[in-house]
Amino acid sequence: MNILLLGSGGREHAFAWKIVQSPKCSQLYVAPGNAGTSEIAINLSIGVTDFEAIKAAILDKKIDLVVVGPEAPLVEGLVDYLLSFDETKTIPVVGPPQLGATLEGSKDFSKRFMQRNNIPTAAYETFSVHQLEEGLAYLEKQSLPIVLKADGLAAGKGVLICETLEDAKASLKEMLQDQKFGEASSKVVIEEFLTGIELSVFVATDGKSYKILPEAKDYKRIGEGDTGLNTGGMGAVTPVVFADKAFMDKVEELIVQPTVAGLAAEDIPYKGFLFIGLMNKNGNPYVIEYNVRMGDPETEAVLPRIESDFLELLWAIGTGNLKDYELSISPDYATTVVMVSGGYPGSYEKGFEISLPASVEGATIFHAGTSSNSEGKLVNQGGRVIAVTGRGKDLETALKNSYDAVNQIKWNKSYYRKDIGQDILKLIK
């Protein structure tokens, strides 16, 4: 079949890498893609929210399946747009329509959904700019630290953890009055701070059945020891030692099942991936947030552990036949280390030539913010540039394979964390 994959990051390169391994893949197109996807697929210079151009490409390239990588086109209604035309409405899409995508597009919507369906999550209240005084009064009654979340999409930067009441009040004013995160913070969710260990659980669903993919732990902060600013993700590890069978059984019973059942009961159509950000609090799972797509960089660690045909999984999601799909998972470890442009997540320079090894042992190199310059040289084009995934029978081997490959990749002012997975290693030992 011919597949159109939307996106340009490491997640999409990992998707592309896995899709082209399937004998059922005739041709893969990636829009807009990156320098890595161009080596295994055909890149199309189409933006992920250019719905008209996406529809034209679907018809021109005789696309049989559309796979949406990032959240923006889903939240903006791409699936609804394609369903509105006779010539595209029958083509399966992996990704939910706009209503389902609101689980990520609005923190308030998702919290209310959890509340209605008795899904464990932190206590919260939502306030708009007209309710600023009520919000400030609410803060005075809460224990610290406290979490402030922009209601809408804020590129992973709309969550603040405030240690003092003064900081919380000032931040609430900045978000609501000064629109610190633009339209995304026109409403703010004030949420109880949960203590514990975070992890990500990934679920594939066709709206009726579901399959739970390998869980992962990611590393959001730019600095070692989880210090500094939040980023889109500096690394990931799977499997996660503290997510044992007893814990994952609770996740399935208390969170996955009521989420999928709740979507069906509320007539919220959903065919795609659900990324559930969880807190393990004393052995019990609480939902921090829903995302309506796979995570990045967790995808680069999770997909190498899937042994069954990934394209068949995508087709089963899109066509509503997931119950018949046999998911096979490798017991091996996979660890991803993200290499970024110096200065990220702040300002950084682009256009530095990247030197890659001809081959690496026990690891896979996924491109994220890369492109080719006018001379055809590989250069850094974004903040997160390369994701390197190592595999191994144990965590030490996987990490060694990741870092051995990372040390062979060079460009001016590159940076990466050297402590990915070290906290998990301590738990194992």
Side-chain angles (χ1 to χ4, degrees):
M1 64 183 88
N2 295 330
I3 303 106
L4 175 62
L5 170 63
L6 301 181
S8 61
R11 167 183 50 217
E12 286 75 34
H13 189 192
F15 265 63
W17 169 80
K18 201 70 174 168
I19 287 169
V20 298
Q21 292 173 22
S22 171
K24 296 190 175 179
C25 175
S26 304
Q27 182 61 63
L28 174 63
Y29 299 91
V30 189
N34 57 40
T37 61
S38 71
E39 295 176 359
I40 55 174
I42 296 174
N43 283 357
L44 304 174
S45 56
I46 298 171
V48 296
T49 55
D50 187 346
F51 293 177
E52 214 172 292
I54 290 167
K55 180 197 167 199
I58 289 169
L59 299 176
D60 179 49
K61 307 298 183 186
K62 297 181 171 54
I63 297 298
D64 300 296
L65 177 69
V66 179
V67 181
V68 185
E71 66 277 9
L74 299 170
V75 172
E76 292 185 26
L78 172 64
V79 177
D80 312 71
Y81 176 83
L82 296 176
L83 286 169
S84 70
F85 297 97
D86 287 341
E87 58 267 49
T88 51
K89 69 182 182 184
T90 58
I91 296 167
V93 180
V94 177
Q98 194 166 34
L99 181 58
T102 313
L103 280 177
E104 180 168 358
S106 166
K107 298 286 193 296
D108 179 58
F109 177 91
S110 67
K111 293 292 278 193
R112 286 189 284 116
F113 174 86
M114 289 179 234
Q115 210 168 42
R116 288 194 302 272
N117 291 283
N118 299 309
I119 294 163
T121 188
Y124 82 103
E125 287 289 342
T126 303
F127 300 92
S128 67
V129 67
H130 308 296
Q131 300 167 302
L132 177 58
E133 292 307 318
E134 294 166 53
L136 295 171
Y138 178 79
L139 283 171
E140 289 181 358
K141 298 172 189 168
Q142 306 309 305
S143 56
L144 296 165
I146 191 86
V147 183
L148 274 58
K149 293 182 175 180
D151 178 60
L153 296 180
K157 298 178 176 68
V159 178
L160 302 177
I161 298 170
C162 302
E163 301 286 345
T164 67
L165 180 59
E166 292 72 24
D167 183 24
K169 285 184 169 183
S171 295
L172 185 63
K173 286 177 182 174
E174 283 178 0
M175 292 171 83
L176 288 175
Q177 276 186 337
D178 306 337
Q179 292 194 308
K180 179 173 183 171
F181 300 107
E183 185 63 28
S185 59
S186 59
K187 286 196 291 188
V188 172
V189 173
I190 301 177
E191 191 176 85
E192 167 196 14
F193 179 79
L194 293 174
T195 55
I197 311 178
E198 281 189 51
L199 73 153
S200 306
V201 170
F202 300 97
V203 179
T205 181
D206 59 5
K208 307 183 294 285
S209 302
Y210 64 85
K211 304 287 180 183
I212 299 177
L213 307 182
E215 79 289 348
K217 181 186 188 300
D218 79 326
Y219 297 80
K220 282 279 188 287
R221 303 276 187 161
I222 187 68
E224 288 168 21
D226 288 326
T227 57
L229 295 172
N230 263 340
T231 72
M234 295 297 295
V237 171
T238 177
V240 181
V241 66
F242 57 81
D244 57 15
K245 185 179 186 305
F247 178 78
M248 290 305 293
D249 285 347
K250 287 183 186 177
V251 170
E252 183 167 12
E253 180 188 345
L254 300 174
I255 294 168
V256 177
Q257 289 175 355
T259 296
V260 175
L263 290 168
E266 297 185 19
D267 291 321
I268 300 175
Y270 205 105
K271 290 178 179 175
F273 293 102
L274 259 175
F275 161 2
I276 308 173
L278 292 177
M279 184 69 77
N280 179 340
K281 183 180 179 182
N282 300 321
N284 293 307
Y286 290 81
V287 177
I288 300 169
E289 65 179 0
Y290 289 118
N291 292 310
V292 297
R293 35 74 191 181
M294 289 293 286
D296 193 347
E298 295 100 325
T299 298
E300 293 94 304
V302 167
L303 260 54
R305 292 189 59 212
I306 296 176
E307 295 182 322
S308 40
D309 190 308
F310 186 63
L311 180 52
E312 284 184 10
L313 171 65
L314 297 171
W315 182 253
I317 294 168
T319 57
N321 295 303
L322 191 57
K323 70 178 188 307
D324 299 324
Y325 179 80
E326 290 292 329
L327 179 65
S328 176
I329 303 295
S330 165
D332 285 1
Y333 277 84
T335 58
T336 299
V337 177
V338 176
M339 303 182 71
V340 304
S341 298
Y344 172 83
S347 60
Y348 52 85
E349 294 178 64
K350 302 177 182 178
F352 293 124
E353 189 176 330
I354 301 168
S355 169
L356 292 180
S359 64
V360 290
E361 190 76 27
T364 306
I365 296 170
F366 295 111
H367 292 239
T370 64
S371 66
S372 297
N373 65 14
S374 57
E375 298 168 12
K377 303 285 189 184
L378 182 69
V379 296
N380 70 315
Q381 186 61 33
R384 291 189 296 164
V385 181
I386 297 280
V388 180
T389 299
R391 294 278 302 277
K393 297 293 182 191
D394 51 55
L395 183 54
E396 289 100 329
T397 305
L399 285 169
K400 181 181 186 303
N401 288 338
S402 287
Y403 281 108
D404 282 352
V406 163
N407 290 326
Q408 297 177 64
I409 301 170
K410 310 289 182 192
W411 78 91
N412 194 19
K413 299 183 181 177
S414 65
Y415 168 80
Y416 61 90
R417 277 180 58 170
K418 298 178 177 65
D419 65 340
I420 301 301
Q422 292 305 309
D423 54 339
I424 305 290
L425 270 179
K426 285 176 188 169
L427 288 173
I428 294 171
K429 290 173 180 175

